[in-house]
Amino acid sequence: MIVDCAIYKDGRRTEGPDDFSDALDEARATGDAFVWIGLHESTEDEFGKVAQEFGLHPLAVEDALKAHQRPKLEVYDDSLFVVLKPVVYEPKSDKVSTGELMLFLGDSFVVTVRHGDGAPLKAVRQRLEDDPEFLAHGPTSVLYSVADATVDHYLEVAAELQTDLGELEAEVFSPDQGGSRDTASRIYTFKRQILEFRRATGPLALPLARLAGVGPWGLSAVPFVNEDAKPFFRDVNDHLTRVNEYVDSLDRLVSDILSAHLAQMSVRQNDDMRKISAWAAMAAVPTMIAGVYGMNFDHMPELHWMWSYPAVILLMAVLELFLYRLFKRRGWL
C-alpha cells in the first residue's frame, strides 16, 4: 500500500501529479526537487510498478518484498539500497520485536518500504517537513533522518532493557525468589530478547561506517549520498557504537546472572542435602538403639533391669541433643 507520495522542492512539499511516474518526471525536470514515496507491506504487483518506474534492481526488489533481511547497504547502478531494522519494546510483556525498513535512493527520488509497526517514518517525515532548510539537501537528508531516528530509539530500548535487567538481578539475589523455578526461564527469555536486539544493531555498524566514511571507507564516496553529510552519519555511527556496547554489556551481565543463579541453586541443593543428612543421622541413633533392644535375646544384661527403659530413653535424648547442637554449630541445620 502506498502510504504517501510527495514532491519536495527547496525542502517544501508541493502539489504534484497523483501518479508517481509523472511526479518523478516533474521532479527531474525541476532539477532541485525529489519524490518521496512511502509504502507499507506492499504487494508484489503494487511494488513492481514502482520498481519498474524508478529502475530498482531486481535483487533489491526481491529483498524488499520478502523482508527478513539483515541491516545492510548495497550499491546498484541506478540506486542505493539500505536496510534498517527498527526495534520496538513492549513494556507489558517486556518483549523486544523488530520490524524492517528499506530505503531506495536514486536520482531525484526516495522510496521507503516498511514492514511491521516499528518504523518511525511518519514522525520523521513530519519533522523534516517542519525543517525545510534541512530537507532541501534532498534524499540524503531523508536517509540521515531515518537512520538517526532508528538508532536513537535503539538507545531508548537499551535503557528499558537495562531497567529490566536490574529487576531481574534483584530477583536472582533475593533470598525469597532467587531459587524459584521460573527464574532460569526468565533469564533465558531475557537473553533471547538481547539476541533479537543484537540482530538489529550489530550488522548495522558496517553500513553506517561506510556512510560515515570511517575505517577502510574513509576516502570512498557512496553514490546518491551527499559527501557533506559524512559528519552527520559519523554522529549516528557514534550513537550506534554506544548501543552495541550497551548490548554487549547486557549480554555479559545476563550470562553472569545466569551463572550466579545456577551457583545459588547448587549451594541451596547442597544445603538441603546437608540438612537431610543431619536429620537422617539423628534418626539413625535411636533407630540403632531400638534395634539392639528389639532383637529379643534372652541373655541381655540390661533386659531385666528395672531402670532399663528410662535409661535407654534418656540415652537417646542425650545423643539426639548432642547431634542437634553439633550439626547446628556447623550450620547443617
Side-chain angles (χ1 to χ4, degrees):
M1 178 178 64
I2 297 179
V3 178
D4 199 352
C5 176
I7 299 177
Y8 295 93
K9 182 178 180 181
D10 295 329
R12 301 186 182 279
R13 185 169 183 143
T14 62
E15 295 295 332
D18 294 334
D19 184 77
F20 59 82
S21 176
D22 295 335
L24 178 61
D25 292 338
E26 181 177 326
R28 286 176 173 172
T30 304
D32 56 353
F34 70 96
V35 179
W36 182 358
I37 297 180
L39 300 99
H40 178 236
E41 297 181 353
S42 59
T43 63
E44 185 174 353
D45 293 338
E46 186 177 46
F47 191 66
K49 298 176 182 178
V50 176
Q52 182 178 3
E53 181 62 34
F54 290 86
L56 306 181
H57 196 279
L59 292 177
V61 171
E62 182 181 357
D63 289 344
L65 286 173
K66 292 184 177 180
H68 304 294
Q69 304 296 316
R70 287 164 54 91
K72 61 181 179 179
L73 183 151
E74 294 181 353
V75 178
Y76 297 101
D77 293 336
D78 298 323
S79 62
L80 177 70
F81 180 55
V82 180
V83 179
L84 303 173
K85 291 183 77 70
V87 173
V88 176
Y89 176 80
E90 301 172 7
K92 293 183 179 179
S93 60
D94 295 336
K95 183 179 179 181
V96 172
S97 59
T98 57
E100 289 193 35
L101 179 59
M102 290 82 166
L103 294 92
F104 295 87
L105 275 73
D107 180 18
S108 302
F109 72 84
V110 177
V111 178
T112 54
V113 184
R114 178 166 59 94
H115 293 269
D117 299 325
L121 284 182
K122 183 176 181 180
V124 169
R125 188 187 285 263
Q126 184 62 50
R127 187 163 61 250
L128 285 172
E129 290 180 355
D130 292 339
D131 188 3
E133 184 177 353
F134 186 77
L135 188 56
H137 290 89
T140 301
S141 62
V142 177
L143 176 60
Y144 161 74
S145 298
V146 172
D148 183 56
T150 301
V151 174
D152 283 348
H153 191 62
Y154 288 165
L155 289 170
E156 297 175 8
V157 174
E160 294 286 352
L161 290 175
Q162 183 70 43
T163 301
D164 289 345
L165 181 61
E167 296 174 355
L168 186 60
E169 186 176 14
E171 177 181 335
V172 168
F173 292 102
S174 170
D176 298 328
Q177 301 180 356
S180 64
R181 296 180 179 180
D182 296 334
T183 303
S185 175
R186 285 196 60 194
I187 295 174
Y188 182 73
T189 301
F190 190 83
K191 195 171 182 64
R192 288 188 62 88
Q193 303 307 314
I194 294 176
L195 177 61
E196 184 72 15
F197 194 19
R198 186 193 292 274
R199 288 174 179 168
T201 63
L204 185 58
L206 192 61
L208 274 183
R210 189 172 179 182
L211 290 169
V214 298
W217 301 277
L219 299 177
S220 62
V222 179
F224 309 107
V225 176
N226 195 325
E227 282 290 300
D228 296 335
K230 282 186 176 181
F232 295 92
F233 284 110
R234 279 200 294 270
D235 180 67
V236 179
N237 188 53
D238 289 342
H239 290 177
L240 181 65
T241 301
R242 287 176 52 196
V243 171
N244 285 325
E245 290 174 352
Y246 255 125
V247 174
D248 290 340
S249 64
L250 288 173
D251 189 44
R252 287 194 300 270
L253 284 172
V254 171
S255 299
D256 292 342
I257 289 174
L258 180 58
S259 298
H261 172 68
L262 295 177
Q264 279 187 326
M265 294 294 293
S266 178
V267 169
R268 292 187 182 188
Q269 288 175 352
N270 290 336
D271 289 341
D272 291 340
M273 289 302 299
R274 283 204 302 263
K275 291 179 180 179
I276 293 172
S277 300
W279 286 112
M282 293 175 62
V285 170
T287 301
M288 180 189 67
I289 296 175
V292 170
Y293 284 92
M295 290 187 291
N296 297 321
F297 290 124
D298 291 333
H299 303 287
M300 294 183 68
E302 302 89 357
L303 191 61
H304 300 289
W305 185 36
M306 184 177 62
W307 299 103
S308 295
Y309 176 76
V312 169
I313 296 298
L314 179 61
L315 177 63
M316 289 183 182
V318 169
L319 291 176
E320 289 294 294
L321 180 61
F322 171 75
L323 290 176
Y324 178 81
R325 294 189 64 180
L326 177 64
F327 292 143
K328 191 73 172 179
R329 189 181 304 114
R330 295 186 177 182
W332 285 34
L333 290 176

